Amino acid sequence: MLTAAIYIPAAFAEIGGCFCFWAWMRLGRSPLVLVPGCLSLVVFAWLLTFSPADNAGRAYAIYGGVYIVASLVWSWLVEGLPPDRWDILGAAICLAGAGLILLAPRAHP
């Protein structure tokens, strides 16, 4: 549960921050959108430091599966493009992989 409480808001913080850059560069929005975008990216990075993973690489790998699902939710809710069955299948596979990385039994040195 703690993992979801970290990774889900981190994903939306990253997507929101990156979307601000997208809006500026691709949608012609004011450069002022970069201010909340940068702040959102700082929040994203800060949140990932609370990951229960034993190292940064695993934290980012686990996060990757959550990010993919969150990106599809963003696309649907913010940009109006619902995921198709291939999006859902691909996201499920990625989320399963992230879960495997998170929950795999490991011998710690």
Side-chain angles (χ1 to χ4, degrees):
M1 189 63 156
L2 173 64
T3 304
I6 294 166
Y7 284 120
I8 292 171
F12 285 103
E14 182 183 14
I15 294 164
C18 291
F19 185 76
C20 288
F21 279 81
W22 179 277
W24 172 56
M25 296 290 296
R26 303 277 301 263
L27 303 177
R29 302 278 168 78
S30 165
L32 292 175
V33 300
L34 299 177
V35 174
C38 288
L39 292 173
S40 187
L41 291 171
V42 167
V43 168
F44 150 71
W46 174 72
L47 284 170
L48 279 189
T49 66
F50 294 102
S51 169
D54 57 358
N55 65 48
R58 281 201 183 117
Y60 305 151
I62 297 161
Y63 168 72
V66 175
Y67 178 84
I68 289 167
V69 173
S71 296
L72 294 172
V73 171
W74 177 279
S75 177
W76 189 5
L77 298 179
V78 175
E79 300 182 80
L81 180 67
D84 63 22
R85 65 181 174 189
W86 301 109
D87 294 330
I88 294 168
L89 179 61
I93 291 168
C94 293
L95 202 53
L100 180 63
I101 294 167
L102 175 65
L103 301 172
R106 292 192 167 83
H108 294 284

